[in-house]
Amino acid sequence: MTPPQLTPLVTVDVGGTLGTAHGPGLAMRLAEASPLPGARAREIMRSTLHTRPSLTESVVTEVCQALQIPPEDFPRDLRPAPFVLFPGTVEALERISAVATVVTLSNVTCVDADTDGLRALLSPWVSDFFPSCRIAHSKPDPRAFHAVAEHFDTAPEVLVHVGDDWNCDIVGAVEAGAKAVWISRGRKTPDESLVVDHDVHVAHDLAAAATHIQHLAARSNT
């Protein structure tokens, strides 16, 4: 059996890591409409909505029941909100792409996913896009990270994931066996023991994450 290819592979989260959507998308509207606590509503949507490739009536019914929303209140005919990159995002991705293959790995509904728009913003530095609605798994499920690694015939432990959500991005990456870089933007680390035990790198922003990844690549080449 041929061993997996040890190609440097970096996955980056999208919203909150590369930039932000200007305007509420489907998931945000549903969370606001649900009587459930926001964190619980988002957790439900990660498994019932974000992993679906299309929005069928059966999916709408299932999501509405889980979120306790009347089906007639389900938002329809929505378009993806415009996505605006944070300052320095392109420069940071350019530096990372010089030492590794860079792809996105994001939790997003099939309605909110705008792969063509992201490609226009991030090409040629980001070579592929893996929204949860494409791979049928959402972070922090380790299968989301493994799906990308398997696509590139790369071992999970070679993958470096960069993201700003502690649970979805960092805990998920660690449980998948990948390296993790947390974009803190000045926030306090939620779990210092995870940082120490699993060598999680804390970076203030994507530029700092890019520098760390460049150092990792340099060490791996020596």
Side-chain angles (χ1 to χ4, degrees), residues 30-55:
L30 288 172
E32 292 173 349
S34 174
L36 300 176
R40 176 57 181 155
R42 290 189 292 272
E43 180 183 5
I44 289 172
M45 287 188 286
R46 283 199 295 268
S47 60
T48 61
L49 182 61
H50 288 71
T51 57
R52 305 301 177 89
S54 61
L55 198 61

Side-chain angles (χ1 to χ4, degrees), residues 23 34 62 87 94 96 107 118 136 154 160 206-207 215:
S34 174
E62 179 184 355
E94 184 176 7
I96 298 173
N107 289 348
L118 285 178
T154 296
V160 179
L206 192 63
H215 290 163

Side-chain angles (χ1 to χ4, degrees), residues 80-85 112-123 129:
F83 192 78
V84 179
L85 299 177
D112 297 323
D114 183 13
T115 299
D116 289 340
L118 285 178
R119 183 176 290 111
L121 289 171
L122 304 176
S123 179
F129 302 85

Side-chain angles (χ1 to χ4, degrees), residues 9-168:
L9 176 64
V10 174
T11 55
V12 292
D13 175 51
V14 177
T17 298
L18 302 182
T20 186
H22 275 208
L26 175 60
M28 185 178 296
R29 290 180 185 271
L30 288 172
E32 292 173 349
S34 174
L36 300 176
R40 176 57 181 155
R42 290 189 292 272
E43 180 183 5
I44 289 172
M45 287 188 286
R46 283 199 295 268
S47 60
T48 61
L49 182 61
H50 288 71
T51 57
R52 305 301 177 89
S54 61
L55 198 61
T56 64
E57 286 303 318
S58 62
V59 170
V60 170
T61 299
E62 179 184 355
V63 171
C64 287
Q65 288 177 346
L67 295 178
Q68 301 176 22
I69 298 173
E72 59 268 23
D73 290 345
F74 191 95
R76 299 176 184 271
D77 300 323
L78 292 178
R79 293 184 177 182
F83 192 78
V84 179
L85 299 177
F86 292 138
T89 291
V90 168
E91 292 81 0
L93 290 174
E94 184 176 7
R95 288 198 285 134
I96 298 173
S97 68
V99 296
T101 298
V102 184
V103 302
T104 67
L105 176 58
S106 58
N107 289 348
V108 63
T109 72
C110 61
V111 173
D112 297 323
D114 183 13
T115 299
D116 289 340
L118 285 178
R119 183 176 290 111
L121 289 171
L122 304 176
S123 179
W125 307 282
V126 174
S127 60
D128 207 345
F129 302 85
F130 293 88
S132 55
C133 57
R134 171 186 173 184
I135 60 177
H137 301 294
S138 60
K139 303 172 296 183
D141 188 336
R143 291 176 295 180
F145 302 88
H146 292 166
V148 179
E150 290 170 5
H151 179 86
F152 287 94
D153 193 26
T154 296
E157 58 267 23
V158 177
L159 187 152
V160 179
H161 181 69
V162 182
D164 71 302
D165 186 291
W166 183 263
N167 182 52
C168 290

